[in-house]
Amino acid sequence: MLLAWFATHERQMPWRGSPDPYAVWVSEVMLQQTQVATVTPYYERFLRRFPDVGALARARLDDVLKTWEGLGYYSRARNLHAAAKTIVADLDGEIPRTVEGLCELPGIGRYTAGAIASIAFGLDEPVLDGNVARVLSRVFLVRTPPKEPRTATRLWDLARELLPKGRAGEFNQALMDLGATVCTPRKPACIVCPIAPVCRARAKGLQDALPAKSRRKPLPHHEICVGVVRKKGRVLIDRRKPEGLLGGLWEFPGGKRRKGESREACVRREVLEELGVRARVGERFAVVRHAYSHFRVTIHAFECEFESGRPRAIRCAAWKWVRPREFVRFAFPAANRRIIAALAAPPASG
Ligand code: SF4
């Protein structure tokens, strides 16, 4: 009944209907943490720019990050790029055809491997993403949070047991679509659900209570102070080291404020520690709040004048003096883009 429903209710997406493993891989990586509507234009641009694994492997990381700019979770782009290089260098340009082989590539976990293996290679491999976990938790009345390791194992087992032989790709996509459009997190549309007759949560009226939620700790918060250091019409930007959060992206120098330190002193210290440059700290012109997956930040951005020193990449990978109109050429994280927008905005009157 699920496959019959899928035949008429499949969501239209640009990567659907293509068995090209590279296209499936790119789409699945983009869809981790991001909605279909947001992903679609990025996917189309990415495929135009890097149409196959060879083109991606040959590309500069800077170009890959620039094409990814705004999509967030940049380690996904860095891993895609690194994996493409491995495929070309070590695997004759062939994307591995097994879940085990796929999982050896950077950034490919069990879910993405299952999606590529089933959708692109037609293998009988399951997937378990948030949508699938929700549907299965409800249908099988799983009362513990899907993120708990034992529950996750059980859900993976269920996802595998249910696969109709030879049609895993279709079946996996059908489950994902059902979770995204019918068996939604809130107010699932059980009335139109093709599998309502076998759904145990529905039978017990528990569909809104499942899946059980994990207890979440509040996200830690950091205060960050950054400086827009100017010298003769140019601004000093630096590039983050390749590893870690936002690795390889460009930003304004700055960092976490220490206890008891003024914001201005923090900017001055951070610019000096990061780049070996002394700066006179002026007015604060923007306050930007941003949430990452594991913490939140409030960024205070200050205008600064260059004082002395020769920039050196001390706590960054590279640095550049650039004119503000050149900012568009560099990949900045979303919070820095908002600082750039504040720089371009006319000063508030009054
Ligand atoms: Fe989800 Fe309702 Fe369908 Fe059960 S009947 S799978 S809760 S939409």
Side-chain angles (χ1 to χ4, degrees):
M1 45 195 162
L2 185 60
L3 288 175
W5 172 85
F6 186 61
T8 51
H9 291 79
E10 178 181 1
R11 288 182 292 171
Q12 295 308 310
M13 303 175 200
W15 49 87
R16 286 263 170 102
S18 148
D20 174 8
Y22 173 71
V24 174
W25 173 30
V26 171
S27 70
E28 289 299 338
V29 170
M30 287 188 169
L31 286 166
Q32 295 163 7
Q33 329 267 2
T34 314
Q35 302 282 328
V36 171
T38 309
V39 162
T40 300
Y42 278 94
Y43 168 84
E44 289 173 337
R45 206 176 317 138
F46 199 91
L47 266 273
R48 269 200 306 277
R49 192 81 210 269
F50 315 111
D52 53 42
V53 73
L56 181 58
R58 284 191 302 275
R60 290 187 318 134
L61 178 61
D62 253 353
D63 291 337
V64 178
L65 291 172
K66 185 67 194 162
T67 311
W68 200 272
E69 187 182 19
L71 201 52
Y73 299 96
Y74 292 88
S75 58
R76 297 182 296 176
R78 289 198 304 274
N79 283 334
L80 257 177
H81 186 233
K85 282 179 173 293
T86 302
I87 290 168
V88 167
D90 302 341
L91 305 171
D92 288 333
E94 293 291 326
I95 295 176
R97 301 180 74 94
T98 62
V99 163
E100 296 71 30
L102 287 162
C103 281
E104 281 180 19
L105 294 170
I108 299 192
R110 200 170 163 190
Y111 165 76
T112 308
I116 299 170
S118 63
I119 299 169
F121 296 130
L123 301 181
D124 289 332
E125 292 291 348
V127 296
L128 188 76
D129 66 351
N131 284 326
V132 176
R134 182 168 59 257
V135 174
L136 296 182
S137 296
R138 287 172 173 167
V139 172
F140 293 95
L141 206 66
V142 176
R143 294 176 188 264
T144 43
K147 290 240 159 76
E148 277 182 9
R150 276 175 54 191
T151 313
T153 302
R154 181 163 171 222
L155 293 171
W156 273 106
D157 289 345
L158 285 169
R160 183 177 291 283
E161 283 161 23
L162 292 171
L163 289 179
K165 281 232 168 318
R167 299 185 73 182
E170 249 176 289
F171 183 80
N172 288 338
Q173 293 177 87
L175 267 184
M176 291 189 244
D177 280 14
L178 188 78
T181 61
V182 175
C183 194
T184 47
R186 264 169 285 151
K187 294 200 185 4
C190 303
I191 196 96
V192 296
C193 177
I195 54 174
V198 297
C199 179
R200 293 173 60 193
R202 185 178 191 219
K204 288 193 178 294
L206 288 174
Q207 60 270 36
D208 285 312
L210 295 177
K213 302 219 172 6
S214 316
R215 225 174 283 145
R216 271 212 171 179
K217 285 195 210 131
L219 292 182
H221 174 260
H222 305 301
E223 188 176 313
I224 308 288
C225 300
V226 305
V228 174
V229 181
R230 294 180 190 267
K231 182 185 170 193
K232 295 185 187 155
R234 288 191 158 85
V235 171
L236 188 55
I237 60 173
D238 67 58
R239 189 172 181 193
R240 293 176 71 94
K241 294 195 170 165
E243 62 281 354
L245 180 79
L246 308 176
L249 270 73
W250 290 85
E251 64 180 11
F252 301 108
K256 275 186 215 166
R257 178 154 78 109
R258 291 179 182 162
K259 224 174 171 185
E261 188 178 41
S262 73
R263 290 183 183 126
E264 288 80 358
C266 171
V267 173
R268 198 172 158 78
R269 174 182 57 74
E270 286 286 343
V271 172
L272 184 61
E273 288 177 1
E274 208 161 309
L275 290 154
V277 161
R278 290 186 191 282
R280 192 176 317 113
V281 182
E283 291 285 304
R284 182 178 69 177
F285 67 94
V287 179
V288 170
R289 291 180 180 80
H290 193 77
Y292 295 96
S293 52
H294 293 92
F295 62 92
R296 296 175 299 118
V297 292
T298 302
I299 306 175
H300 299 265
F302 288 79
E303 282 284 359
C304 300
E305 277 300 318
F306 170 81
E307 262 183 9
S308 62
R310 181 189 288 256
R312 283 169 291 142
I314 303 171
R315 270 192 0 212
C316 55
W319 57 270
K320 261 185 199 307
W321 286 106
V322 296
R323 296 197 183 279
R325 66 165 187 272
E326 295 173 304
F327 286 152
V328 290
R329 288 182 22 219
F330 297 86
F332 285 93
N336 272 248
R337 278 273 158 228
R338 283 161 61 199
I339 293 171
I340 290 171
L343 275 175
S349 56

